[in-house]
């Protein structure tokens, strides 16, 4: 096995072509492709387990207790249990259960295999019991951690640079099909890590290779097991006409609204997080109860199921668009408020990813906007997703691609509107973001005491 990591020979430390020519880089490519198979299979198993536990808790258990369907209050006890489990995981497992979703999608730094059990436990407890977070951040951490652990097992003296590149490739493989396309996942990781410059291709190629392998594994396992691929996809997309001047105006409005709403959710969740961190167990349980009560209020007000508010929103996105005609503007506004509040409470205390709830909140807001004159349903749906995603993640390229590719060929028609909404929301979010605290002034030197 070649021993060298993907580093350039002496005299050309920053030359990407020199790095690609090394034997170490070829070793990285081979390992990335091979690890893509078990890591994507593990990611598929993780998503399947979460899905089965959700069905067990919210479908099978109510019937066991004599209910034909889960009553509206049913979500409150499981969410309290989630609070206990997540708080204990954060306190006692290495890594604190993974990154804090209120702080955004953080993927920087080499992952650690030691954090894998804690990340998995906290994410399973959060996602399967109804918390309003997505699986993408835990999968990124799990994929990277498993890849780094495998590298350390195969080659203990592997250079940190090689382990970091292969760890990134493991993350690519883990979310290869989650966002509907390996390209969207690649752009997500590329923007989230700040990958760029001449070294971008060096790191991106192993990731794309691993993502391609992972996509094939996801598709094969989905067909073989009959469970599907757990990929973000829409089966019914209404046709959209050529964008109009009125829709461009509404795209600007949507971007402004998304910037304010996203910043409100972020600041509120960070403020709550600071308090939860000081009293982890009781306040995590309290945040779980708050999510359950918010979902109950939505069901009481709209006479719709609590699942509209619970969970990440990934599986509810297609039915929401398909049944958009059955939602009044008032119902959509209530759903927007309740989902946003539950999203905020979930980010403050639990573990998971911020992407899918942001996508769902944006979709709801865009559909509400489509009730106004001059805005089509599909156009509103798409630009809402793009604007809210960039407001929460600050990843403009990913937001445009996600909102456009999700709609298939129709997405190409509405892409100009999505771009306008994303740009306005992105600039607005940056303007609204709080400035970092000023560093303390340097201590001025004290005048020397006069000589005696």
């Amino acid at each position: 096995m070649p021993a060298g990591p993907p580093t350039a020979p002496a005299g050309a430390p920053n030359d990407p072509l020199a790095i690609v020519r090394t034997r170490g880089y070829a070793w990285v490519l081979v390992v990335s492709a091979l690890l893509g198979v078990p890591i994507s299979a593990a990611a598929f198993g993780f998503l399947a387990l979460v899905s089965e536990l959700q069905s067990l808790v919210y479908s099978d258990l109510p019937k066991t207790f004599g209910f034909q369907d889960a009553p509206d209050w049913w979500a409150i006890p499981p969410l309290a249990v989630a609070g206990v489990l997540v708080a204990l995981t954060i306190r006692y497992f290495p890594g604190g259960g993974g990154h804090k979703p209120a702080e955004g999608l953080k993927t920087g730094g080499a992952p650690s295999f030691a954090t894998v059990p804690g990340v998995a436990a906290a994410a399973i407890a959060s996602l399967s019991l109804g918390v309003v977070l997505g699986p993408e951040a835990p999968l990124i951490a799990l994929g990277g951690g498993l890849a780094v652990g495998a590298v350390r097992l195969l080659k203990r003296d592997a250079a940190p640079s090689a382990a970091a590149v292969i760890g990134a490739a493991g993350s690519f493989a883990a979310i290869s099909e989650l966002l509907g396309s390996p390209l969207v996942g690649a752009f997500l990781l590329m923007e989230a890590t700040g990958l760029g410059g001449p070294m971008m291709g060096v790191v991106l190629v192993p990731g794309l290779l691993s993502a391609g392998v992972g996509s094939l594994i996801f598709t094969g396992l989905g067909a073989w097991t009959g469970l599907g691929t757990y990929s973000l996809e829409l089966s019914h997309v209404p046709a959209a006409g050529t964008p109009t001047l009125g829709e461009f105006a509404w795209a600007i409005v949507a971007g402004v609204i998304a910037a304010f709403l996203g910043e409100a959710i972020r600041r509120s969740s960070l403020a709550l997080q600071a308090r939860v961190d000081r009293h982890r167990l009781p306040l995590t349980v309290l945040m779980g109860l708050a999510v359950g009560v918010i979902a109950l209020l939505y069901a009481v007000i709209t006479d719709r199921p609590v699942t509209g508010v619970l969970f990440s929103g990934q599986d509810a996105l297609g039915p929401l668009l398909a049944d958009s005609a059955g939602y009044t503007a008032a119902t959509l506004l209530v759903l927007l408020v309740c989902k946003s509040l539950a999203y905020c409470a979930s980010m403050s205390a639990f573990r998971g990813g911020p992407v899918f709830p942001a996508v769902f909140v944006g979709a709801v807001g865009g559909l509400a906007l489509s009730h106004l004159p001059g805005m089509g349903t599909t156009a509103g749906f798409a630009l809402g997703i793009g604007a809210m995603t960039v407001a929460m993640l600050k990843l403009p390229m990913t937001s445009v691609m996600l909102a456009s590719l999700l709609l298939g060929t129709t997405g190409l028609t509405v892409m100009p509107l999505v771009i306008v909404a994303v740009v306005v929301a992105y600039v607005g979010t940056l303007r609204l973001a709080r400035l970092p605290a000023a560093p303390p002034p340097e201590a001025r030197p004290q005048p020397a005491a006069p000589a005696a």
Side-chain angles (χ1 to χ4, degrees):
M1 177 183 298
T7 54
N14 295 317
D15 183 4
L17 294 179
I19 294 175
V20 170
R21 295 190 194 103
T22 62
R23 295 178 64 194
Y25 190 71
W27 174 75
V28 167
L29 289 177
V30 172
V31 172
S32 298
L34 294 176
L35 288 180
V37 176
I39 289 176
S40 56
F44 183 92
F46 173 86
L47 294 172
L49 176 60
V50 168
S51 178
E52 291 300 314
L53 288 175
Q54 288 176 353
S55 297
L56 173 66
V57 173
Y58 286 92
S59 179
D60 298 339
L61 278 182
K63 294 176 181 177
T64 302
F65 285 94
F67 297 103
Q68 184 176 1
D69 296 304
D72 292 339
W73 54 262
W74 181 265
I76 296 177
L79 285 163
V81 173
V84 174
L85 296 176
V86 171
L88 294 177
T89 301
I90 291 172
R91 179 174 297 178
Y92 295 110
F93 279 68
H99 94 292
K100 300 176 180 179
E103 298 176 2
L105 188 65
K106 293 185 176 181
T107 62
S112 170
F113 180 73
T115 64
V116 167
V119 170
I124 290 171
S126 297
L127 304 180
S128 62
L129 296 178
V131 171
V132 185
L133 291 171
E136 69 287 343
L139 284 178
I140 290 171
L142 292 173
L146 290 173
V148 169
V151 170
R152 298 302 184 195
L153 183 64
L154 294 172
K155 184 173 175 55
R156 293 184 179 277
D157 61 342
S161 58
V165 172
I166 294 174
S171 297
F172 275 73
I175 64 166
S176 57
E177 274 295 303
L178 188 64
L179 297 172
S181 167
L183 284 178
V184 179
F187 270 90
L188 174 70
L189 288 170
M190 185 174 65
E191 284 194 293
T193 56
L195 187 62
M199 297 298 294
M200 180 179 70
V202 174
V203 182
L204 188 59
V205 168
L208 285 174
L209 177 61
S210 191
V213 173
S215 181
L216 292 174
I217 298 300
F218 261 71
T219 303
L221 286 175
W224 179 59
T225 62
L227 297 174
T229 61
Y230 303 104
S231 175
L232 182 63
E233 58 183 357
L234 302 177
S235 57
H236 174 75
V237 179
T242 303
T244 65
L245 185 61
E247 288 178 328
F248 275 104
W250 285 125
I252 296 174
V253 173
V256 173
I257 294 173
F260 278 97
L261 178 58
E263 192 63 19
I265 293 173
R266 182 183 300 105
R267 293 190 185 188
S268 299
S269 61
L270 287 171
L272 288 172
Q273 176 184 279
R275 291 166 173 77
V276 171
D277 286 344
R278 292 196 294 267
H279 306 282
R280 170 54 60 184
L281 181 57
L283 291 189
T284 304
V285 174
L286 182 61
M287 289 299 102
L289 292 173
V291 173
V293 171
I294 293 168
L296 175 61
L297 289 175
Y298 167 74
V300 170
I301 294 172
T302 64
D303 197 28
R304 286 183 172 270
V306 295
T307 51
V309 171
L310 300 178
F311 309 118
S312 67
Q314 175 186 356
D315 295 333
L317 204 59
L320 175 70
L321 179 60
D323 190 34
S324 58
Y327 284 84
T328 65
T331 300
L332 289 170
L333 290 175
V334 173
L335 178 56
L336 178 69
V337 172
C338 290
K339 190 76 172 186
S340 299
L341 291 173
Y343 182 26
C344 175
S346 298
M347 286 201 299
S348 70
F350 293 91
R351 293 295 185 262
V355 176
F356 286 115
V359 170
F360 187 84
V361 168
V364 173
L367 288 177
L369 194 65
S370 70
H371 284 263
L372 297 173
M375 173 56 72
T377 299
T378 304
F381 183 84
L383 64 85
I385 289 176
M388 196 64 200
T389 302
V390 79
M392 293 305 301
L393 304 182
K394 299 179 183 177
L395 306 177
M397 287 295 295
T398 300
S399 301
V400 171
M401 288 191 66
L402 179 60
S404 302
L405 294 181
L406 182 61
L407 299 175
T409 55
T410 306
L412 299 177
T413 303
V414 299
M415 184 181 286
L417 298 174
V418 174
I419 292 174
V420 171
V422 166
V423 170
V424 172
Y426 181 62
V427 174
T429 299
L430 296 183
R431 294 292 298 270
L432 291 171
R434 290 174 175 169
L435 296 176
E442 297 181 2
R444 295 181 179 178
Q446 297 296 326

